[in-house]
Amino acid sequence: MTDQLDSRLARRMRRAIRNLPRDQREVFCAIRFEDLDYHQVAARFDISLAEVEARFAKALASFVRAVDAPPRPWWHFW
């Protein structure tokens, strides 16, 4: 059962990242997966530190909401 829960969580996490706006996804992935600091991200995307912070904060909030959200009942898809 744990493997099934882990795979569901992994799917929700991948979907949450995929659904982020491109600018937020790029910053989020650079910080979380490439282990870049804010200065390196700012240099890579030619944006200010404040913009890196803003994009990352928005991405992180969206990611957490998407991953923690309970699954929608099937009738909400219609």
Side-chain angles (χ1 to χ4, degrees):
M1 178 119 167
T2 306
D3 291 337
Q4 193 175 32
L5 292 175
D6 289 344
S7 66
R8 287 182 192 166
L9 176 59
R11 279 195 307 270
R12 283 200 317 262
M13 292 171 71
R14 284 192 299 270
R15 188 178 313 121
I17 292 169
R18 208 173 37 243
N19 289 335
L20 290 172
R22 181 177 175 203
D23 60 337
Q24 292 177 24
R25 184 176 57 247
E26 289 173 341
V27 169
F28 181 87
C29 290
I31 292 170
R32 285 294 183 209
F33 301 125
E34 297 178 42
D35 203 28
L36 299 180
D37 64 29
Y38 285 15
H39 293 280
Q40 292 169 318
V41 174
R44 175 185 282 186
F45 298 113
D46 195 29
I47 57 177
S48 69
L49 283 175
E51 187 63 27
V52 172
E53 292 172 354
R55 289 180 188 185
F56 185 63
K58 288 177 185 177
L60 193 55
S62 296
F63 176 80
V64 169
R65 270 193 314 273
V67 170
D68 287 343
R72 294 186 304 171
W74 64 268
W75 59 85
H76 284 205
F77 292 103
W78 300 104

